[in-house]
């Protein structure tokens, strides 16, 4: 399946510093029907948007990330579990690659880990979705609820649960289950893409903003003469 499977994605980024420990490969899938009020990634909702890519291409990125010493892979979205076939093929291939003897261990001596964000609760997942998540070392579950802000690291709202699923997941994520953000955590990563033909500069924010962060950035941009157009958190 790994050779023919595809995944609709919104984008990728390396190094991702804000969703999981260390410097990671981030992959954002395209398509989400959960429509959480306050979602900052509305551009990932449309299942017909994004780019359809062979899982083999994503595994090529993961191979390069491992060669550069990545500490893990984070799959977010969009809703990864809405593409169980592609997700399952990707995670299985990613697990096989990170298990190779040539892969450098991370600073805690373990292998690079696999982390998946899903808006579903664990008991909402179908058998196929659970199977797809099989190789994941940890999963963050639950809708984003704008009315339940949190300082829990790597979670967007207080209801979301971080669930280690493997021995490596317990090693890597166990110490962080109840940990709140502290100065060692990178808050938001800001990446400016190349200028487009219409003269705008696409800006991407990676990570989990605190309440008010997005509005503050909009205000600051406007104050500096760099107004944001079509921010992905506006309907
Ligand atoms: S927060 Fe996540 S689960 Fe909720 S609508 Fe946005 S992408 Fe979907």
């Amino acid at each position: 399946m790994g050779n023919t499977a595809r995944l609709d994605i919104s984008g990728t980024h390396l190094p991702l510093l804000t969703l999981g420990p260390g410097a990671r490969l981030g992959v954002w899938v395209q398509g989400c029907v959960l429509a959480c009020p306050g979602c900052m990634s509305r551009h990932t909702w449309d299942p017909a948007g994004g780019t359809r890519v062979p899982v083999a291409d994503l595994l090529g990125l993961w191979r390069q990330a491992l060669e550069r010493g990545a500490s893990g892979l984070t799959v977010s979205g969009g809703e990864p579990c809405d593409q169980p076939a592609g997700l399952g093929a990707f995670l299985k291939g990613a697990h096989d690659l990170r298990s190779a003897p040539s892969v450098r261990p991370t600073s805690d001596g373990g292998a690079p880990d696999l982390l998946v964000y899903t808006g579903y609760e664990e008991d909402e997942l179908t058998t196929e979705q659970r199977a797809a998540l099989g190789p994941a070392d940890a999963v963050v579950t639950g809708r984003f609820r704008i009315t339940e802000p949190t300082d829990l690291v790597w979670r967007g709202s207080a209801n979301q649960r971080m669930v280690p699923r493997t021995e490596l997941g317990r090693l890597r994520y166990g110490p962080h289950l109840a940990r709140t953000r502290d100065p060692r955590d990178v808050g938001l990563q800001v990446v400016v893409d190349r200028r487009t033909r219409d003269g705008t500069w696409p800006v991407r924010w990676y990570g989990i903003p605190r309440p008010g962060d997005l509005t503050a950035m909009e205000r600051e941009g406007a104050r500096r003469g760099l107004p944001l157009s079509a921010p992905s958190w506006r309907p």
Side-chain angles (χ1 to χ4, degrees):
M1 177 186 281
N3 290 335
T4 57
R6 286 175 159 62
L7 206 54
D8 292 331
I9 67 161
S10 167
T12 65
H13 187 68
L14 175 78
L16 173 67
L17 305 173
T18 50
L19 295 173
R24 314 172 64 82
L25 174 64
V27 174
W28 288 265
V29 307
Q30 183 69 28
C32 181
V33 296
L34 298 177
C36 306
C39 170
M40 71 178 283
S41 306
R42 298 173 66 98
H43 63 294
T44 67
W45 287 10
D46 181 0
T51 310
R52 179 158 294 184
V53 296
V55 163
D57 289 6
L58 294 174
L59 291 174
L61 286 182
W62 176 232
R63 188 181 291 109
Q64 289 171 15
L66 291 171
E67 287 167 2
R68 290 168 61 179
S71 57
L73 166 69
T74 296
V75 183
S76 186
E79 178 45 65
C81 290
D82 283 350
Q83 300 182 59
L87 177 68
F90 182 35
L91 291 178
K92 181 178 181 315
H95 170 67
D96 290 345
L97 288 173
R98 63 93 181 258
S99 303
S102 58
V103 170
R104 274 182 275 164
T106 62
S107 57
D108 61 15
D113 70 86
L114 311 178
L115 170 67
V116 180
Y117 280 77
T118 173
Y120 293 113
E121 305 289 349
E122 273 193 296
D123 61 5
E124 292 179 302
L125 295 170
T126 65
T127 303
E128 188 185 15
Q129 289 169 326
R130 282 173 201 277
L133 288 169
D137 297 295
V139 181
V140 176
T141 63
R143 314 288 192 275
F144 168 66
R145 293 186 193 153
I146 196 169
T147 53
E148 299 182 32
T150 184
D151 272 334
L152 287 170
V153 69
W154 305 322
R155 273 147 288 183
S157 55
N159 61 295
Q160 292 181 330
R161 293 188 60 223
M162 178 171 282
V163 186
R165 298 163 51 93
T166 64
E167 192 178 333
L168 175 60
R170 285 182 280 280
L171 168 76
R172 186 118 341 128
Y173 291 90
H176 304 288
L177 300 184
R179 184 172 76 78
T180 53
R181 295 194 215 189
D182 63 35
R184 85 187 103 152
D185 297 303
V186 178
L188 277 178
Q189 259 178 289
V190 181
V191 177
V192 181
D193 283 350
R194 270 182 297 185
R195 194 176 186 181
T196 59
R197 283 188 187 160
D198 65 5
T200 59
W201 298 85
V203 181
R204 300 183 192 283
W205 279 274
Y206 298 122
I208 298 174
R210 287 192 161 98
D213 278 355
L214 298 177
T215 307
M217 284 190 290
E218 279 187 89
R219 278 210 201 103
E220 184 61 14
R223 193 181 70 77
R224 294 173 181 231
L226 299 167
L228 296 183
S229 60
S232 61
W233 51 90
R234 292 257 178 266

